[in-house]
């Protein structure tokens, strides 16, 4: 049943309230990421959801202003920041195809000569962070400044506990970095790259912050202040890669159920884009076996079903 046809908050808010009520009655909400000890203690039944309109109006339900660990959601923003600087040259170093393997897999890199399948698996995100680091000297700092500006929240920051936890358990990411360096696909020293990457992933932000920060993709590349970060074509590229690769090896199922470009993170967040209309962020830390929020995917499925908003 379609219960809205405009982007007004007066019609979106009842949809969010209905979804939150449904999620509160949903059993089997998955398990938090236990391979990052700082995330393992999160309550899998926590839930928040926010919608940001093109003009920056934002509203939500549940714990929508509660900061959480953004993790891989930040890969969208580092991709956009680097793509804005180097354009299509980036795609010589990272692909645009779904991986079909876990997000931290080493398998494909060997037979694809150190070129990761896409920017959203860990290997691909390391390449993007490396290239942004080369161009800025502080990739994580560039990311944080961007998120603070787009969310209008100067208090956004890295979570040192999470970054330290990831560093202490980062052997596989180190292996990915060294392996790609052996093929000449990493410019910076791997320890420097890993420090930047783990800081990037440790950003703590709320659903409201992240829905607002993603707004440039709904505005076809235009930032909150009216300046252009990406060309319209580049914004289309980022949205396309989100749709096909943003939820790891569950991207096909996500596209089938939700029908929007989206990106998940093991902190339990998912961001999604309705081009030309709005952006969303949902958070619930209980994950499925593929690393995606169980309640988050279900909530976005309900949103597109109830509103009729989809890219299809």
């Amino acid at each position: 049943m379609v219960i809205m046809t405009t982007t007004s908050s007066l019609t979106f808010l009842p949809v969010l309230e209905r979804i939150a009520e449904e999620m509160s009655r949903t059993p089997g909400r998955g398990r938090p990421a236990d391979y990052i000890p700082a995330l393992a203690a999160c309550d899998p039944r926590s839930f928040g959801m926010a919608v940001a309109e093109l003009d920056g109006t934002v509203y939500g339900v549940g714990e929508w202003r509660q900061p959480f660990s953004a993790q891989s959601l930040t890969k969208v923003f580092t991709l956009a920041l680097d793509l804005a600087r180097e354009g299509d040259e980036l795609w010589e170093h990272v692909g645009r195809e779904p991986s079909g393997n876990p997000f931290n897999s080493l398998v494909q890199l060997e037979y694809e000569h150190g070129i990761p399948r896409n920017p959203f698996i860990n290997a691909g995100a390391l390449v993007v962070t490396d290239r942004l680091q080369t161009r800025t000297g502080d990739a994580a700092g560039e990311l944080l400044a961007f998120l603070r500006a787009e969310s209008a929240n100067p208090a956004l920051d890295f979570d040192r506990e999470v970054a330290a936890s990831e560093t202490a358990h980062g052997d596989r990411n180190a292996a990915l970095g060294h392996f790609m360096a052996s093929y000449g696909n990493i410019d910076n020293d791997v320890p420097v790259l890993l420090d930047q990457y783990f800081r990037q992933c440790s950003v703590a932000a709320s659903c409201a912050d992240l829905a607002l920060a993603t707004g440039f993709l709904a505005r076809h590349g235009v930032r909150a202040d009216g300046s252009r970060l990406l060309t319209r074509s580049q914004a289309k590229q980022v949205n396309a890669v989100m749709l096909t690769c943003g939820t790891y090896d569950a991207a096909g199922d996500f596209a089938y159920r939700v029908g929007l470009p989206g990106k998940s993170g093991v902190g339990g967040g998912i961001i999604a884009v309705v081009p030309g209309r709005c952006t969303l962020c949902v958070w619930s830390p209980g994950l499925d076996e593929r690393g995606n929020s169980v309640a988050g995917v279900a909530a976005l499925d309900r949103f597109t079903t109830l509103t009729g908003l989809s890219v299809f």
Side-chain angles (χ1 to χ4, degrees):
M1 178 180 69
V2 176
I3 63 175
M4 63 156 286
T5 57
T6 76
T7 58
S8 166
S9 61
L10 294 176
T11 49
F12 268 139
L13 196 54
V15 175
L16 298 186
E17 290 170 344
R18 175 171 173 177
I19 291 169
E21 195 277 330
E22 290 179 5
M23 292 303 105
S24 72
R25 295 186 281 105
T26 302
R29 297 277 283 273
R31 298 175 56 190
D34 55 10
Y35 66 94
I36 301 174
L39 302 182
C42 292
D43 181 357
R45 297 197 61 81
S46 295
F47 179 83
M49 189 172 186
V51 174
E53 297 179 349
L54 300 184
D55 65 358
T57 301
V58 61
Y59 44 90
V61 292
E63 297 170 79
W64 66 296
R65 292 198 177 275
Q66 171 66 41
F68 63 91
S69 188
Q71 293 294 312
S72 289
L73 303 186
T74 61
K75 295 174 182 178
V76 171
F77 307 107
T78 51
L79 172 61
L81 289 168
D82 187 72
L83 187 61
R85 285 168 169 80
E86 66 169 321
D88 286 347
E89 184 182 344
L90 169 63
W91 303 119
E92 298 174 13
H93 300 270
V94 61
R96 302 184 294 270
E97 296 292 336
S99 68
N101 283 306
F103 58 83
N104 58 358
S105 174
L106 284 154
V107 173
Q108 287 173 324
L109 277 177
E110 183 155 15
Y111 62 79
E112 294 182 347
H113 309 292
I115 306 294
R117 272 291 177 99
N118 66 70
F120 295 148
I121 56 175
N122 285 16
L126 285 165
V127 167
V128 174
T129 299
D130 176 68
R131 300 187 70 75
L132 187 61
Q133 176 69 12
T134 297
R135 280 154 183 77
T136 66
D138 185 7
E142 285 288 319
L143 165 72
L144 186 61
F146 179 83
L147 292 176
R148 285 174 170 174
E150 296 306 291
S151 67
N153 182 1
L156 281 186
D157 210 343
F158 306 114
D159 185 319
R160 288 189 175 88
E161 180 186 358
V162 171
S165 183
E166 294 202 57
T167 299
H169 297 82
D171 291 339
R172 184 175 288 265
N173 284 312
L176 290 168
H178 285 294
F179 191 84
M180 290 186 293
S182 75
Y183 280 96
N185 202 24
I186 295 293
D187 295 333
N188 295 278
D189 291 340
V190 172
V192 172
L193 170 59
L194 292 174
D195 177 66
Q196 290 286 324
Y197 180 71
F198 292 142
R199 287 171 63 212
Q200 165 191 317
C201 291
S202 78
V203 168
S206 69
C207 291
D209 295 326
L210 290 162
L212 285 167
T214 310
F216 73 100
L217 290 173
R219 293 187 293 268
H220 308 294
V222 175
R223 295 184 60 169
D225 64 2
S227 64
R228 181 168 286 280
L229 175 68
L230 301 175
T231 67
R232 193 179 183 97
S233 179
Q234 288 172 330
K236 177 193 72 175
Q237 292 169 4
V238 174
N239 279 326
V241 178
M242 288 173 68
L243 180 68
T244 58
C245 308
T247 47
Y248 312 119
D249 54 337
D253 185 63
F254 186 83
Y256 175 84
R257 291 183 61 185
V258 176
L260 294 174
K263 180 73 192 83
S264 62
V266 297
I270 306 175
I271 52 177
V273 181
V274 185
R277 303 294 293 272
C278 64
T279 48
L280 304 100
C281 181
V282 60
W283 171 64
S284 186
L287 310 180
D288 62 21
E289 67 279 2
R290 292 170 171 174
N292 299 312
S293 170
V294 174
V297 174
L300 290 170
D301 181 359
R302 291 297 289 151
F303 179 85
T304 54
T305 298
L306 291 170
T307 63
L309 292 175
S310 167
V311 298
F312 300 110

